[in-house]
Amino acid sequence: MTVTPKPLVAGNWKMNGVRASLQQTDEMGRGLDAAMRRKVDVLICPPSTLLHAMSAALIGTGIATGGQDCHAEAAGAFTGDVSAAMLADAGARYVITGHSERRTLHGETSAVVKAKSAAALGALLTPIICIGETNAERVAGKTIAVVKKQLRGSLPDGVAGDEVVIAYEPVWAIGTGKTPTPADVAEVHAAIRTELGRLMGKAEAAKVRILYGGSVKPSNAGELMGLPHVDGALVGGASLKAEDFLAIIRAVG
Ligand code: PEP
């Protein structure tokens, strides 16, 4: 029997949000009823400055919080960085690793992403490991090869299926309003599941939540989330407003 993991809808606020923005998460907490909570796990990853206050404000709502990045080391002379243990101490349960903006703007390789993801596990956080091709790679027909290579290089050794989340985020779809066709999303997610099976065994691979991310909005969430091997969404822009984020959660549940 195939196990279908409980879907996860995760919001990535990127470098957006100040304390006044907690109004939006208050509204999200009020809008998430018990039936939705049973069907869908919900997560917001705010900037680190908001993590502690947001985590405290969301207690009892069923919405978890997470970081957007962590350092691979537990502590030390790394000015400006945040460790996985610090995120956990501020209330986080998850952390995004290897977002394409980190891979591109901060030069993070898959080896770095693997080390950060291992650090997250060490702090009892669930890493959400992002992988995805650029437009040039897509046009060259390399999507599946690129995604598999990033997955192999970024996945910590010996990780169990329910300890990690994978987010497939085509770089060209992030923040652009463009999305791959449903058939393309289904093909890539199936390839990710197969590669996970090779890396961790089929039974563990079946437990991994594979999220789709890239211009998910209320109007396309239902179709994308209904595809095989799509176990939720990583949402950027549309996670900043309670109304839109709740509409996406409803479309998944
Ligand atoms: C993201 O940054 O992870 C993302 C998916 O952004 P958007 O939803 O805005 O495309």
Side-chain angles (χ1 to χ4, degrees), residues 4 10 15 18 34 58 72 82 104 111 126-127 166 192 205 240 248:
T4 312
M15 200 171 72
V18 291
L58 287 175
V82 176
T104 309
T126 302
I166 303 298
I192 292 171
L240 292 166
I248 291 171

Side-chain angles (χ1 to χ4, degrees), residues 1-184:
M1 197 184 85
T2 322
V3 200
T4 312
K6 186 178 179 186
L8 170 67
V9 177
N12 172 14
W13 277 21
K14 312 193 188 197
M15 200 171 72
N16 296 294
V18 291
R19 282 180 297 161
S21 318
L22 297 179
Q23 272 179 359
Q24 294 299 318
T25 41
D26 286 348
E27 212 178 299
M28 291 172 195
R30 284 195 300 274
L32 193 70
D33 60 32
M36 279 158 79
R37 284 196 216 184
R38 273 194 295 277
K39 288 190 205 155
V40 186
D41 284 339
V42 179
L43 166 71
I44 302 282
C45 300
S48 301
T49 48
L50 285 182
L51 194 50
H52 185 254
M54 187 184 286
S55 304
L58 287 175
I59 287 172
T61 63
I63 302 179
T65 59
Q68 298 177 8
D69 176 51
C70 65
H71 199 279
E73 298 294 331
F78 303 105
T79 303
D81 280 315
V82 176
S83 74
M86 289 169 184
L87 297 173
D89 184 56
R93 290 187 31 220
Y94 294 78
V95 59
I96 298 168
T97 56
H99 190 280
S100 70
E101 286 149 21
R102 303 287 318 174
R103 289 182 188 260
T104 309
L105 303 173
H106 297 262
E108 292 187 6
T109 61
S110 288
V112 169
V113 177
K114 179 176 178 174
K116 289 184 171 199
S117 303
L121 293 169
L124 304 182
L125 296 178
T126 302
I128 301 177
I129 303 175
C130 300
I131 54 178
E133 80 288 358
T134 62
N135 192 44
E137 289 163 341
R138 175 177 79 113
V139 170
K142 293 182 179 160
T143 297
I144 302 281
V146 166
V147 162
K148 279 187 180 175
K149 188 172 176 207
Q150 288 181 341
L151 181 62
R152 283 195 299 275
S154 307
L155 197 70
D157 300 327
V159 68
D162 55 6
E163 289 175 336
V164 69
V165 174
I166 303 298
Y168 168 55
E169 298 209 305
V171 179
W172 53 272
I174 295 176
T176 59
K178 297 179 195 159
T179 52
T181 64
D184 286 347

Side-chain angles (χ1 to χ4, degrees), residues 181-194:
T181 64
D184 286 347
V185 173
E187 185 191 3
V188 178
H189 278 240
I192 292 171
R193 185 83 66 199
T194 304

